[in-house]
Amino acid sequence: MKIKWILPDHITRDMDVPSISQLLFALEVVDCVTVEALSYKVARKEFILDKEQTYLAITLQSQHD
């Protein structure tokens, strides 16, 4: 499944994961996500159904917010 990571500055990082259930479990048991040496908290998880694609959008926020 396609995952779209949305960073606080609205830059996105796309990736494919073989098991969405493993990713969602991992996000429930960790406190932060590190992207390019910067750590963030998960602010929102949203399943997007679009005419052209289906994906999970995960919005990250600064740990200081």
Side-chain angles (χ1 to χ4, degrees):
M1 168 164 264
K2 184 175 182 174
I3 306 297
K4 186 176 295 271
W5 299 93
I6 304 169
L7 302 174
D9 55 5
H10 303 289
I11 292 174
T12 61
R13 301 281 189 265
D14 294 341
M15 68 182 291
D16 289 313
V17 295
S19 173
I20 191 68
S21 60
Q22 287 180 339
L23 173 66
L24 292 174
F25 174 75
L27 290 175
E28 292 299 320
V29 298
V30 299
D31 292 326
C32 63
V33 175
T34 302
V35 180
E36 297 177 4
L38 295 174
S39 294
Y40 303 97
K41 294 187 299 185
V42 174
R44 180 181 174 110
K45 295 175 276 213
E46 183 175 4
F47 192 70
I48 308 295
L49 299 172
D50 196 339
K51 291 180 183 181
E52 298 175 14
Q53 58 183 341
T54 299
Y55 61 92
L56 180 67
I58 301 174
T59 303
L60 302 175
Q61 69 182 27
S62 171
Q63 284 195 299
H64 306 292
D65 290 345

